[in-house]
């Protein structure tokens, strides 16, 4: 170990500084990147992200398309559960 070990430095640099900057700049959103339930307790609720890929082989394209259809149901369910049960924010109403 040749460096300084600062507890929670990763979260300070990657998340809290981004939130501070967004507030200061009047931004409505901060994107913390895909994946990671640990982000919820730091104020980042999960949202859908998208990517676009071209799959040249039509057989492989069909297999991937079928998988993504099945995966979408699980993603939707997981997002609902995470947002309802783990959100650090109070529910309105």
């Amino acid at each position: 170990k040749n460096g300084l070990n600062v507890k929670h430095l990763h979260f300070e640099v990657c998340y809290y500084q981004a939130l501070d900057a967004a507030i200061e700049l009047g931004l409505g959103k901060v994107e913390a990147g895909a994946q990671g339930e640990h982000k919820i307790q730091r104020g980042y609720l999960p949202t859908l992200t998208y990517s676009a890929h071209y799959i040249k082989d039509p057989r492989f394209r069909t297999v991937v398309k079928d998988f993504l259809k099945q995966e979408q149901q699980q993603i939707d369910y997981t997002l609902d559960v995470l947002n309802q049960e783990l959100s650090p924010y109070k529910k309105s109403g």
Side-chain angles (χ1 to χ4, degrees), residues 4 11 25-26 33 37 64 68 81 89 91:
L4 178 64
F11 301 111
L25 296 170
E37 285 86 6
V64 171
L68 293 175
V81 169
Y89 303 108
K91 306 286 187 250

Side-chain angles (χ1 to χ4, degrees), residues 36-67:
E37 285 86 6
H38 65 279
K39 294 175 186 174
I40 295 170
Q41 64 187 338
R42 289 175 168 72
Y44 290 93
L45 296 181
T47 59
L48 288 175
T49 58
Y50 299 92
S51 62
H53 305 277
Y54 175 72
I55 301 172
K56 186 175 181 178
D57 184 305
R59 295 169 297 166
F60 187 54
R61 187 180 322 131
T62 299
V63 171
V64 171
K65 183 178 180 180
D66 291 345
F67 170 78

